Amino acid sequence: MHGPRLTGEQVWRAIADRSFAVLSYVTPTGEPRSSGVVYAAGPRQLYVAVAPDSWKALHIPATDQVAVTVLVRRGGLLSLIVPIPPATISFHARAVVHPVGAPALDALSTELATLVPSERLANCRIVEIFPEGHFLTYGIGTSLRRMRNPSASRARVAVP
C-alpha cells in the first residue's frame, strides 16, 4: 500500500492553517533541545516570537538549523472520547534569529501581531524559519482508519 499523494502546496496549507509546533535545535555544545512554540505563517516561512535571552534566541544562531514538527489534530469530537494521535508534518529548516526591533520585520506586523501583543513585540526577537528539502508527513491526506497503517499514512513531499 502506498502513502497519500500530496503536493507541497497542500502540505504548506496544512501548516499555515495551524499555529503550534515543536521546534528543535542543538546548543553550541551539541545538546539537543526542543520546545513547543506558537507560530505565524508567511508566504513560505514561519515566524516565532521569543524572549531576547531565551535559549532559542541564544542557541539557534550557532548553527542556523532547526527541525520542526507541526501537530495536526484529527478526529473532531471523536478525539474527545477516543485517544486519537495527531497527524504530523516534520521538516528541517534554516532559521534566522532577528535582533530586537529589526526594521526588516516592520512589514510583517500583521502576521506577528497574532503571536505577541504589540507592547511586547518591540522587546522580542523573531525567529524566521525557512523549510528546506522535504516535508515528512504522517496521517495528512489519509483517513483515520488508514492512519493505523504506517505505509499508507506516510509521505515525503518536496518543499515548494
mmCIF file of all heavy atoms in Angstrom, residues 70-111:
data_model
loop_
_atom_site.group_PDB
_atom_site.id
_atom_site.type_symbol
_atom_site.label_atom_id
_atom_site.label_comp_id
_atom_site.label_asym_id
_atom_site.label_seq_id
_atom_site.Cartn_x
_atom_site.Cartn_y
_atom_site.Cartn_z
ATOM 1 N N VAL A 70 4.922 19.928 13.142
ATOM 2 C CA VAL A 70 3.601 20.537 13.300
ATOM 3 C C VAL A 70 2.620 19.412 13.600
ATOM 4 O O VAL A 70 2.583 18.400 12.893
ATOM 5 C CB VAL A 70 3.179 21.291 12.026
ATOM 6 C CG1 VAL A 70 1.763 21.842 12.156
ATOM 7 C CG2 VAL A 70 4.172 22.406 11.712
ATOM 8 N N LEU A 71 1.857 19.567 14.674
ATOM 9 C CA LEU A 71 0.855 18.571 15.062
ATOM 10 C C LEU A 71 -0.490 18.975 14.469
ATOM 11 O O LEU A 71 -0.909 20.125 14.607
ATOM 12 C CB LEU A 71 0.763 18.496 16.578
ATOM 13 C CG LEU A 71 2.091 18.224 17.289
ATOM 14 C CD1 LEU A 71 1.941 18.400 18.778
ATOM 15 C CD2 LEU A 71 2.598 16.858 16.936
ATOM 16 N N VAL A 72 -1.165 18.020 13.818
ATOM 17 C CA VAL A 72 -2.446 18.284 13.176
ATOM 18 C C VAL A 72 -3.488 17.412 13.866
ATOM 19 O O VAL A 72 -3.519 16.194 13.679
ATOM 20 C CB VAL A 72 -2.389 17.982 11.662
ATOM 21 C CG1 VAL A 72 -3.744 18.243 11.012
ATOM 22 C CG2 VAL A 72 -1.291 18.798 10.993
ATOM 23 N N ARG A 73 -4.305 18.064 14.663
ATOM 24 C CA ARG A 73 -5.337 17.324 15.410
ATOM 25 C C ARG A 73 -6.310 16.680 14.444
ATOM 26 O O ARG A 73 -6.746 17.288 13.471
ATOM 27 C CB ARG A 73 -6.066 18.288 16.340
ATOM 28 C CG ARG A 73 -7.034 17.599 17.231
ATOM 29 C CD ARG A 73 -7.587 18.552 18.261
ATOM 30 N NE ARG A 73 -8.781 17.952 18.808
ATOM 31 C CZ ARG A 73 -9.780 18.618 19.298
ATOM 32 N NH1 ARG A 73 -9.743 19.916 19.350
ATOM 33 N NH2 ARG A 73 -10.835 17.995 19.770
ATOM 34 N N ARG A 74 -6.676 15.445 14.738
ATOM 35 C CA ARG A 74 -7.600 14.684 13.895
ATOM 36 C C ARG A 74 -8.738 14.160 14.751
ATOM 37 O O ARG A 74 -8.616 14.024 15.950
ATOM 38 C CB ARG A 74 -6.875 13.475 13.275
ATOM 39 C CG ARG A 74 -5.679 13.766 12.418
ATOM 40 C CD ARG A 74 -6.021 14.259 11.024
ATOM 41 N NE ARG A 74 -7.007 13.469 10.355
ATOM 42 C CZ ARG A 74 -6.776 12.513 9.463
ATOM 43 N NH1 ARG A 74 -5.556 12.212 9.137
ATOM 44 N NH2 ARG A 74 -7.763 11.859 8.894
ATOM 45 N N GLY A 75 -9.839 13.856 14.127
ATOM 46 C CA GLY A 75 -10.915 13.147 14.804
ATOM 47 C C GLY A 75 -12.055 13.997 15.297
ATOM 48 O O GLY A 75 -13.061 13.459 15.750
ATOM 49 N N GLY A 76 -11.931 15.318 15.259
ATOM 50 C CA GLY A 76 -13.025 16.173 15.700
ATOM 51 C C GLY A 76 -13.513 15.814 17.089
ATOM 52 O O GLY A 76 -12.724 15.579 17.997
ATOM 53 N N LEU A 77 -14.832 15.732 17.256
ATOM 54 C CA LEU A 77 -15.410 15.408 18.556
ATOM 55 C C LEU A 77 -15.054 14.000 19.020
ATOM 56 O O LEU A 77 -14.960 13.739 20.216
ATOM 57 C CB LEU A 77 -16.929 15.574 18.514
ATOM 58 C CG LEU A 77 -17.428 17.011 18.346
ATOM 59 C CD1 LEU A 77 -18.947 17.036 18.207
ATOM 60 C CD2 LEU A 77 -16.992 17.858 19.520
ATOM 61 N N LEU A 78 -14.834 13.103 18.068
ATOM 62 C CA LEU A 78 -14.472 11.732 18.417
ATOM 63 C C LEU A 78 -13.185 11.709 19.240
ATOM 64 O O LEU A 78 -13.025 10.881 20.131
ATOM 65 C CB LEU A 78 -14.308 10.889 17.152
ATOM 66 C CG LEU A 78 -13.967 9.415 17.337
ATOM 67 C CD1 LEU A 78 -15.070 8.702 18.117
ATOM 68 C CD2 LEU A 78 -13.750 8.759 15.987
ATOM 69 N N SER A 79 -12.270 12.642 18.976
ATOM 70 C CA SER A 79 -10.991 12.657 19.708
ATOM 71 C C SER A 79 -11.171 13.018 21.177
ATOM 72 O O SER A 79 -10.267 12.808 21.979
ATOM 73 C CB SER A 79 -10.007 13.625 19.044
ATOM 74 O OG SER A 79 -10.471 14.950 19.185
ATOM 75 N N LEU A 80 -12.337 13.539 21.557
ATOM 76 C CA LEU A 80 -12.619 13.815 22.963
ATOM 77 C C LEU A 80 -13.008 12.545 23.723
ATOM 78 O O LEU A 80 -12.925 12.502 24.940
ATOM 79 C CB LEU A 80 -13.731 14.861 23.087
ATOM 80 C CG LEU A 80 -13.428 16.236 22.484
ATOM 81 C CD1 LEU A 80 -14.670 17.108 22.546
ATOM 82 C CD2 LEU A 80 -12.260 16.877 23.197
ATOM 83 N N ILE A 81 -13.422 11.538 22.974
ATOM 84 C CA ILE A 81 -13.875 10.286 23.578
ATOM 85 C C ILE A 81 -12.814 9.189 23.450
ATOM 86 O O ILE A 81 -12.554 8.450 24.386
ATOM 87 C CB ILE A 81 -15.195 9.817 22.912
ATOM 88 C CG1 ILE A 81 -16.264 10.884 23.097
ATOM 89 C CG2 ILE A 81 -15.641 8.478 23.457
ATOM 90 C CD1 ILE A 81 -17.488 10.669 22.231
ATOM 91 N N VAL A 82 -12.204 9.108 22.278
ATOM 92 C CA VAL A 82 -11.221 8.073 21.968
ATOM 93 C C VAL A 82 -9.865 8.743 21.748
ATOM 94 O O VAL A 82 -9.793 9.739 21.025
ATOM 95 C CB VAL A 82 -11.635 7.304 20.693
ATOM 96 C CG1 VAL A 82 -10.617 6.249 20.332
ATOM 97 C CG2 VAL A 82 -13.008 6.699 20.864
ATOM 98 N N PRO A 83 -8.808 8.216 22.356
ATOM 99 C CA PRO A 83 -7.494 8.844 22.123
ATOM 100 C C PRO A 83 -7.035 8.626 20.684
ATOM 101 O O PRO A 83 -6.794 7.497 20.255
ATOM 102 C CB PRO A 83 -6.580 8.130 23.120
ATOM 103 C CG PRO A 83 -7.261 6.848 23.439
ATOM 104 C CD PRO A 83 -8.734 7.080 23.256
ATOM 105 N N ILE A 84 -6.941 9.711 19.928
ATOM 106 C CA ILE A 84 -6.507 9.657 18.537
ATOM 107 C C ILE A 84 -5.234 10.489 18.429
ATOM 108 O O ILE A 84 -5.256 11.689 18.722
ATOM 109 C CB ILE A 84 -7.597 10.215 17.595
ATOM 110 C CG1 ILE A 84 -8.859 9.353 17.691
ATOM 111 C CG2 ILE A 84 -7.076 10.293 16.157
ATOM 112 C CD1 ILE A 84 -10.045 9.894 16.941
ATOM 113 N N PRO A 85 -4.137 9.857 18.049
ATOM 114 C CA PRO A 85 -2.900 10.641 17.941
ATOM 115 C C PRO A 85 -3.014 11.645 16.798
ATOM 116 O O PRO A 85 -3.720 11.410 15.816
ATOM 117 C CB PRO A 85 -1.832 9.588 17.646
ATOM 118 C CG PRO A 85 -2.569 8.440 17.062
ATOM 119 C CD PRO A 85 -3.947 8.469 17.654
ATOM 120 N N PRO A 86 -2.319 12.779 16.929
ATOM 121 C CA PRO A 86 -2.382 13.763 15.850
ATOM 122 C C PRO A 86 -1.598 13.288 14.634
ATOM 123 O O PRO A 86 -0.685 12.470 14.739
ATOM 124 C CB PRO A 86 -1.718 14.989 16.467
ATOM 125 C CG PRO A 86 -0.804 14.445 17.500
ATOM 126 C CD PRO A 86 -1.483 13.214 18.029
ATOM 127 N N ALA A 87 -1.979 13.810 13.485
ATOM 128 C CA ALA A 87 -1.153 13.655 12.292
ATOM 129 C C ALA A 87 0.020 14.616 12.470
ATOM 130 O O ALA A 87 -0.036 15.539 13.293
ATOM 131 C CB ALA A 87 -1.970 14.002 11.060
ATOM 132 N N THR A 88 1.097 14.404 11.720
ATOM 133 C CA THR A 88 2.272 15.256 11.877
ATOM 134 C C THR A 88 2.864 15.653 10.535
ATOM 135 O O THR A 88 2.741 14.926 9.540
ATOM 136 C CB THR A 88 3.378 14.562 12.694
ATOM 137 O OG1 THR A 88 3.754 13.353 12.037
ATOM 138 C CG2 THR A 88 2.921 14.261 14.106
ATOM 139 N N ILE A 89 3.503 16.812 10.548
ATOM 140 C CA ILE A 89 4.302 17.289 9.420
ATOM 141 C C ILE A 89 5.646 17.689 10.015
ATOM 142 O O ILE A 89 5.702 18.552 10.889
ATOM 143 C CB ILE A 89 3.657 18.506 8.730
ATOM 144 C CG1 ILE A 89 2.242 18.173 8.256
ATOM 145 C CG2 ILE A 89 4.542 19.002 7.584
ATOM 146 C CD1 ILE A 89 1.427 19.400 7.855
ATOM 147 N N SER A 90 6.714 17.048 9.574
ATOM 148 C CA SER A 90 8.052 17.345 10.086
ATOM 149 C C SER A 90 8.941 17.809 8.942
ATOM 150 O O SER A 90 8.796 17.350 7.807
ATOM 151 C CB SER A 90 8.672 16.110 10.738
ATOM 152 O OG SER A 90 7.910 15.707 11.848
ATOM 153 N N PHE A 91 9.869 18.690 9.268
ATOM 154 C CA PHE A 91 10.825 19.152 8.254
ATOM 155 C C PHE A 91 12.023 19.788 8.945
ATOM 156 O O PHE A 91 11.953 20.171 10.105
ATOM 157 C CB PHE A 91 10.181 20.153 7.291
ATOM 158 C CG PHE A 91 9.551 21.349 7.942
ATOM 159 C CD1 PHE A 91 10.269 22.532 8.135
ATOM 160 C CD2 PHE A 91 8.224 21.316 8.353
ATOM 161 C CE1 PHE A 91 9.684 23.638 8.733
ATOM 162 C CE2 PHE A 91 7.629 22.414 8.942
ATOM 163 C CZ PHE A 91 8.361 23.581 9.135
ATOM 164 N N HIS A 92 13.115 19.866 8.205
ATOM 165 C CA HIS A 92 14.246 20.623 8.715
ATOM 166 C C HIS A 92 14.242 21.966 7.999
ATOM 167 O O HIS A 92 13.629 22.125 6.939
ATOM 168 C CB HIS A 92 15.577 19.872 8.595
ATOM 169 C CG HIS A 92 16.049 19.668 7.193
ATOM 170 N ND1 HIS A 92 15.701 18.598 6.436
ATOM 171 C CD2 HIS A 92 16.846 20.430 6.425
ATOM 172 C CE1 HIS A 92 16.261 18.687 5.255
ATOM 173 N NE2 HIS A 92 16.963 19.790 5.210
ATOM 174 N N ALA A 93 14.921 22.932 8.618
ATOM 175 C CA ALA A 93 14.836 24.286 8.093
ATOM 176 C C ALA A 93 16.068 25.101 8.472
ATOM 177 O O ALA A 93 16.774 24.784 9.425
ATOM 178 C CB ALA A 93 13.578 24.974 8.644
ATOM 179 N N ARG A 94 16.244 26.162 7.731
ATOM 180 C CA ARG A 94 17.229 27.180 8.082
ATOM 181 C C ARG A 94 16.490 28.220 8.895
ATOM 182 O O ARG A 94 15.356 28.569 8.579
ATOM 183 C CB ARG A 94 17.796 27.792 6.796
ATOM 184 C CG ARG A 94 18.864 28.835 7.009
ATOM 185 C CD ARG A 94 19.430 29.298 5.670
ATOM 186 N NE ARG A 94 18.409 29.753 4.747
ATOM 187 C CZ ARG A 94 17.877 30.975 4.746
ATOM 188 N NH1 ARG A 94 18.256 31.866 5.641
ATOM 189 N NH2 ARG A 94 16.962 31.310 3.863
ATOM 190 N N ALA A 95 17.125 28.698 9.948
ATOM 191 C CA ALA A 95 16.467 29.671 10.821
ATOM 192 C C ALA A 95 17.342 30.905 10.981
ATOM 193 O O ALA A 95 18.565 30.805 11.105
ATOM 194 C CB ALA A 95 16.185 29.050 12.190
ATOM 195 N N VAL A 96 16.698 32.057 10.977
ATOM 196 C CA VAL A 96 17.369 33.335 11.207
ATOM 197 C C VAL A 96 16.742 33.949 12.447
ATOM 198 O O VAL A 96 15.516 34.096 12.518
ATOM 199 C CB VAL A 96 17.190 34.284 9.998
ATOM 200 C CG1 VAL A 96 17.808 35.643 10.283
ATOM 201 C CG2 VAL A 96 17.759 33.667 8.732
ATOM 202 N N VAL A 97 17.568 34.288 13.423
ATOM 203 C CA VAL A 97 17.087 34.948 14.630
ATOM 204 C C VAL A 97 17.376 36.435 14.464
ATOM 205 O O VAL A 97 18.527 36.863 14.459
ATOM 206 C CB VAL A 97 17.765 34.393 15.896
ATOM 207 C CG1 VAL A 97 17.231 35.108 17.136
ATOM 208 C CG2 VAL A 97 17.531 32.888 16.007
ATOM 209 N N HIS A 98 16.308 37.205 14.300
ATOM 210 C CA HIS A 98 16.451 38.646 14.078
ATOM 211 C C HIS A 98 16.666 39.373 15.404
ATOM 212 O O HIS A 98 16.116 38.972 16.432
ATOM 213 C CB HIS A 98 15.202 39.203 13.385
ATOM 214 C CG HIS A 98 15.029 38.672 11.997
ATOM 215 N ND1 HIS A 98 15.734 39.164 10.922
ATOM 216 C CD2 HIS A 98 14.237 37.691 11.511
ATOM 217 C CE1 HIS A 98 15.367 38.511 9.822
ATOM 218 N NE2 HIS A 98 14.470 37.612 10.155
ATOM 219 N N PRO A 99 17.461 40.449 15.375
ATOM 220 C CA PRO A 99 17.667 41.218 16.608
ATOM 221 C C PRO A 99 16.383 41.923 17.042
ATOM 222 O O PRO A 99 15.468 42.122 16.240
ATOM 223 C CB PRO A 99 18.752 42.228 16.231
ATOM 224 C CG PRO A 99 18.770 42.264 14.750
ATOM 225 C CD PRO A 99 18.202 40.971 14.240
ATOM 226 N N VAL A 100 16.338 42.292 18.295
ATOM 227 C CA VAL A 100 15.193 43.033 18.827
ATOM 228 C C VAL A 100 15.016 44.303 17.995
ATOM 229 O O VAL A 100 15.987 45.004 17.700
ATOM 230 C CB VAL A 100 15.416 43.402 20.312
ATOM 231 C CG1 VAL A 100 14.319 44.336 20.804
ATOM 232 C CG2 VAL A 100 15.473 42.150 21.160
ATOM 233 N N GLY A 101 13.780 44.576 17.578
ATOM 234 C CA GLY A 101 13.475 45.794 16.830
ATOM 235 C C GLY A 101 14.009 45.832 15.422
ATOM 236 O O GLY A 101 14.176 46.916 14.854
ATOM 237 N N ALA A 102 14.275 44.681 14.794
ATOM 238 C CA ALA A 102 14.817 44.657 13.433
ATOM 239 C C ALA A 102 13.874 45.377 12.476
ATOM 240 O O ALA A 102 12.691 45.038 12.397
ATOM 241 C CB ALA A 102 15.033 43.225 12.972
ATOM 242 N N PRO A 103 14.365 46.385 11.743
ATOM 243 C CA PRO A 103 13.488 47.151 10.846
ATOM 244 C C PRO A 103 12.891 46.306 9.725
ATOM 245 O O PRO A 103 11.794 46.589 9.271
ATOM 246 C CB PRO A 103 14.399 48.241 10.275
ATOM 247 C CG PRO A 103 15.765 47.950 10.741
ATOM 248 C CD PRO A 103 15.712 46.875 11.773
ATOM 249 N N ALA A 104 13.567 45.247 9.305
ATOM 250 C CA ALA A 104 13.044 44.409 8.229
ATOM 251 C C ALA A 104 11.748 43.719 8.620
ATOM 252 O O ALA A 104 10.992 43.281 7.761
ATOM 253 C CB ALA A 104 14.080 43.363 7.834
ATOM 254 N N LEU A 105 11.473 43.639 9.913
ATOM 255 C CA LEU A 105 10.274 42.941 10.378
ATOM 256 C C LEU A 105 9.053 43.849 10.455
ATOM 257 O O LEU A 105 7.951 43.381 10.708
ATOM 258 C CB LEU A 105 10.545 42.295 11.738
ATOM 259 C CG LEU A 105 11.654 41.240 11.714
ATOM 260 C CD1 LEU A 105 11.936 40.763 13.110
ATOM 261 C CD2 LEU A 105 11.289 40.095 10.809
ATOM 262 N N ASP A 106 9.228 45.148 10.221
ATOM 263 C CA ASP A 106 8.088 46.065 10.264
ATOM 264 C C ASP A 106 6.993 45.658 9.290
ATOM 265 O O ASP A 106 5.805 45.780 9.578
ATOM 266 C CB ASP A 106 8.541 47.500 9.978
ATOM 267 C CG ASP A 106 9.361 48.081 11.108
ATOM 268 O OD1 ASP A 106 9.298 47.525 12.231
ATOM 269 O OD2 ASP A 106 10.070 49.073 10.873
ATOM 270 N N ALA A 107 7.375 45.164 8.122
ATOM 271 C CA ALA A 107 6.403 44.763 7.109
ATOM 272 C C ALA A 107 5.600 43.541 7.539
ATOM 273 O O ALA A 107 4.562 43.256 6.968
ATOM 274 C CB ALA A 107 7.109 44.483 5.789
ATOM 275 N N LEU A 108 6.073 42.827 8.538
ATOM 276 C CA LEU A 108 5.405 41.606 8.986
ATOM 277 C C LEU A 108 4.468 41.845 10.156
ATOM 278 O O LEU A 108 3.998 40.901 10.771
ATOM 279 C CB LEU A 108 6.459 40.581 9.406
ATOM 280 C CG LEU A 108 7.485 40.213 8.346
ATOM 281 C CD1 LEU A 108 8.554 39.331 8.957
ATOM 282 C CD2 LEU A 108 6.835 39.547 7.171
ATOM 283 N N SER A 109 4.187 43.090 10.460
ATOM 284 C CA SER A 109 3.433 43.397 11.666
ATOM 285 C C SER A 109 2.090 42.673 11.740
ATOM 286 O O SER A 109 1.652 42.295 12.814
ATOM 287 C CB SER A 109 3.251 44.905 11.813
ATOM 288 O OG SER A 109 2.554 45.406 10.699
ATOM 289 N N THR A 110 1.419 42.461 10.616
ATOM 290 C CA THR A 110 0.124 41.775 10.645
ATOM 291 C C THR A 110 0.279 40.342 11.121
ATOM 292 O O THR A 110 -0.444 39.893 11.996
ATOM 293 C CB THR A 110 -0.524 41.785 9.248
ATOM 294 O OG1 THR A 110 -0.646 43.139 8.827
ATOM 295 C CG2 THR A 110 -1.887 41.134 9.264
ATOM 296 N N GLU A 111 1.236 39.597 10.521
ATOM 297 C CA GLU A 111 1.447 38.213 10.924
ATOM 298 C C GLU A 111 1.941 38.126 12.367
ATOM 299 O O GLU A 111 1.515 37.282 13.138
ATOM 300 C CB GLU A 111 2.464 37.518 10.006
ATOM 301 C CG GLU A 111 1.947 37.222 8.622
ATOM 302 C CD GLU A 111 2.229 38.360 7.650
ATOM 303 O OE1 GLU A 111 2.696 39.447 8.070
ATOM 304 O OE2 GLU A 111 1.962 38.168 6.458
#
